[in-house]
Amino acid sequence: MDRPYVLASVAMSLDGYIDDAGPDTLVLSDADDLDRVDAVRAGVDAILVGAGTVRADDPRLLVRCAGRRAARVADGRSSSPRRVVLTTGASLDPSARVFAGGEAPLVFTAGAAAPALRERLGDAAEVVAAGDPPDPRAVLDDLAARGVRRLLVEGGGAVHTAFLTAGLVDELHVVVAPFFVGDARAPRFVRDGRFPQCPQRGMALIEARAMGDLVLLRYRAS
């Protein structure tokens, strides 16, 4: 069984930050880019984020456009992709918006944390033990068995680092905002790690597109 095609997506500042150190979420995209991401979401089978993103942004992880939702249903699919959360612990809040409405999300966590997280989330999610620590390959194997063929990984930094360092990202979308954050306390796109995409083996640029003052860069793993 083939693993899902993995598309990772991020918006970051010119100096590589995905947020600032303040209490509010830093806006890095505009309406046109959010609509582009919504179209990407509509084309995948599942969307994955980390627990940090759930806590920081409280996303719903749904397709927003009614027309795109209707097109998915007409094609015999659910109105939005399956929602997936990757965590190492058992501290997710069952009142987070990702657990509201639609099919119960999948939550992959460490084996040691799985029993406590199942008790905490109850029927709000299906909790799956994925190794200690959780292994992205085990996550992809489980998703493949559930029929997921295309997976969108939306972050945050720990999740992007885990999939990229494991060589599991097939395509990467990077949107660059036209400003700097300049604060080492803020989270970056990726953390320290050993990446197969090194100076001797870079990714292949397949698109570079200006979107107002933003720039979209699309890369494919070589």
Side-chain angles (χ1 to χ4, degrees):
M1 179 169 27
D2 293 336
R3 69 166 179 82
Y5 184 91
V6 177
L7 192 162
S9 177
V10 66
M12 67 181 191
S13 65
L14 283 168
D15 49 349
Y17 290 97
I18 57 174
D19 202 351
D20 58 22
D24 299 321
T25 300
L26 177 66
V27 177
L28 290 153
S29 299
D30 58 17
D32 288 341
D33 183 50
L34 291 175
D35 185 66
R36 179 195 65 80
V37 172
D38 195 59
V40 174
R41 283 183 174 184
V44 301
D45 303 307
I47 304 169
L48 183 148
V49 298
T53 296
V54 172
R55 286 189 284 266
D57 299 340
D58 197 17
R60 297 178 65 204
L61 300 184
L62 301 175
V63 174
R64 299 177 181 179
C65 172
R68 292 181 183 127
R69 293 197 303 269
R72 284 179 57 90
V73 171
D75 197 34
R77 298 182 291 170
S78 59
S79 60
S80 288
R82 189 75 185 263
R83 294 168 292 179
V84 183
V85 179
L86 180 59
T87 183
T88 58
S91 61
L92 285 168
D93 185 347
S95 68
R97 295 198 303 170
V98 73
F99 300 119
E103 186 176 13
L106 293 167
V107 178
F108 292 92
T109 190
L117 190 56
R118 289 191 184 104
E119 182 175 355
R120 181 177 180 83
L121 295 179
D123 295 335
E126 179 181 349
V127 176
V128 181
D132 291 289
D135 182 357
R137 291 180 179 83
V139 172
L140 293 183
D141 288 344
D142 185 281
L143 292 176
R146 298 173 189 268
V148 172
R149 296 294 172 260
R150 290 180 63 87
L151 172 67
L152 175 61
V153 177
E154 292 193 354
V159 169
H160 277 140
T161 301
F163 277 85
L164 284 163
T165 54
L168 297 174
V169 173
D170 301 290
E171 188 174 335
L172 174 64
H173 294 186
V174 180
V175 168
V176 183
F179 55 79
F180 298 88
V181 170
D183 188 340
R185 298 172 300 166
R188 287 186 177 273
F189 165 33
V190 292
R191 301 179 179 180
D192 292 348
R194 298 186 64 181
F195 296 85
Q197 304 83 13
C198 59
Q200 294 76 30
R201 187 191 175 196
M203 302 186 85
L205 180 66
I206 57 177
E207 182 184 7
R209 178 177 14 131
M211 301 184 299
D213 290 328
L214 303 175
V215 176
L216 168 65
L217 302 172
R218 292 179 56 225
Y219 293 94
R220 184 166 293 148
S222 55

